[in-house]
Amino acid sequence: SYELTQPPSVSVSPGQTARITCSGDALTKKYAYWYQQKSGQAPVLVIYEDSKRPSGIPERFSGSTSGTMATLTISGAQVEDEADYYCYSTDSSGNLFVFGTGTKVTVI
Amino acid sequence: EVQLVESGGGLVQPGGSLRLSCAASGFSFNNYWMSWVRQAPGKGLEWVANIKEDGSEKNYVDSVKGRLTISRDNAKKSLYLQMNSLRAEDTAIYYCARGRGAHDYWGQGTLVTVSS
């Protein structure tokens, strides 16, 4: 089955830049989406279609892709950005979705 | 205001059945794909299934095929997940979410516990 691989954890100091990677073979052809999930809450969409930001999401969140890797960048991370982040995409068929393994972002 | 409210979770024995519901409001339900996503305790998110606007297309993660069935009633603005032959590994919070890839709205989730 298709898999999306993320680093388990990323640490960043307040005001610095955090980058979270997501690796998957089909990312060369399929969109990546990114979700933020804080403890005990439902996920929140922060990036869709590789690099688009939903309304209400701060500009410090950005997305990009290159080859088989998608990257979520938090520029000038804030304490409130501490959360688990998941990438999300489809397999090559476009019908079956999968979440990445998840990355815990710590802002300290 | 867009709202998604799940219900129907609870404790069920292995091999048992449960039907989850998701009541939608605040948007044109029949214009959107809808999805179910679950999260086992302390684990990551897992996409479970999705259904096209008119119900003509349904997709499932391999681990639930033949046991879980997604459906919708556009007149009632409701999404459903019929869960049969439940296993311990189905224990999770089940979220309904609007959309197919970009899930811009989520419910609060309903907990399903499969245990004897």
Side-chain angles (χ1 to χ4, degrees):
Chain A
S1 60
Y2 185 53
E3 294 181 351
L4 295 172
T5 303
Q6 300 178 232
S9 62
V10 167
S11 294
V12 62
S13 300
Q16 299 303 302
T17 297
R19 292 182 179 85
I20 306 162
T21 58
C22 172
S23 177
D25 290 341
L27 289 175
T28 56
K29 298 184 287 285
K30 301 301 181 184
Y31 284 129
Y33 304 82
W34 289 93
Y35 291 89
Q36 175 195 68
Q37 187 181 34
K38 296 183 179 180
S39 181
Q41 298 183 18
V44 172
L45 178 69
V46 294
I47 293 290
Y48 67 101
E49 292 180 1
D50 292 343
S51 59
K52 299 177 182 177
R53 197 172 49 249
S55 64
I57 300 301
E59 291 184 6
R60 62 180 180 271
F61 289 92
S62 63
S64 62
T65 61
S66 178
T68 60
M69 186 166 291
T71 301
L72 174 68
T73 301
I74 310 173
S75 303
Q78 306 295 308
V79 172
E80 59 263 33
D81 299 332
E82 277 206 347
D84 294 323
Y85 290 83
Y86 297 90
C87 60
Y88 184 57
S89 186
T90 65
D91 65 359
S92 56
S93 75
N95 294 323
L96 304 182
F97 281 83
V98 63
F99 282 95
T101 48
T103 299
K104 183 176 184 60
V105 171
T106 303
V107 183
I108 51 172
Chain B
E1 179 193 6
V2 173
Q3 281 198 318
L4 297 170
V5 180
E6 301 95 337
S7 61
L11 175 64
V12 61
Q13 291 188 339
S17 297
L18 215 53
R19 189 196 196 204
L20 305 184
S21 300
C22 172
S25 60
F27 67 100
S28 296
F29 182 74
N30 58 347
N31 286 345
Y32 287 86
W33 280 75
M34 294 295 295
S35 303
W36 287 99
V37 173
R38 68 184 180 183
Q39 186 168 36
K43 302 297 184 183
L45 299 171
E46 182 181 35
W47 171 77
V48 175
N50 61 23
I51 184 169
K52 197 174 180 179
E53 295 94 334
D54 62 359
S56 62
E57 183 177 340
K58 305 174 185 181
N59 299 293
Y60 300 90
V61 67
D62 285 348
S63 61
V64 308
K65 283 180 183 175
R67 301 187 301 115
L68 275 57
T69 303
I70 190 172
S71 63
R72 64 191 297 162
D73 185 331
N74 286 344
K76 294 183 178 179
K77 292 190 170 185
S78 291
L79 176 72
Y80 305 103
L81 187 66
Q82 177 65 44
M83 309 173 73
N84 298 332
S85 302
L86 284 164
R87 306 167 180 168
E89 54 264 37
D90 295 316
T91 294
I93 296 173
Y94 284 75
Y95 296 99
C96 71
R98 188 174 83 166
R100 186 168 173 272
H103 302 308
D104 52 355
Y105 289 93
W106 296 64
Q108 83 289 351
T110 187
L111 177 63
V112 171
T113 303
V114 183
S115 174
S116 55

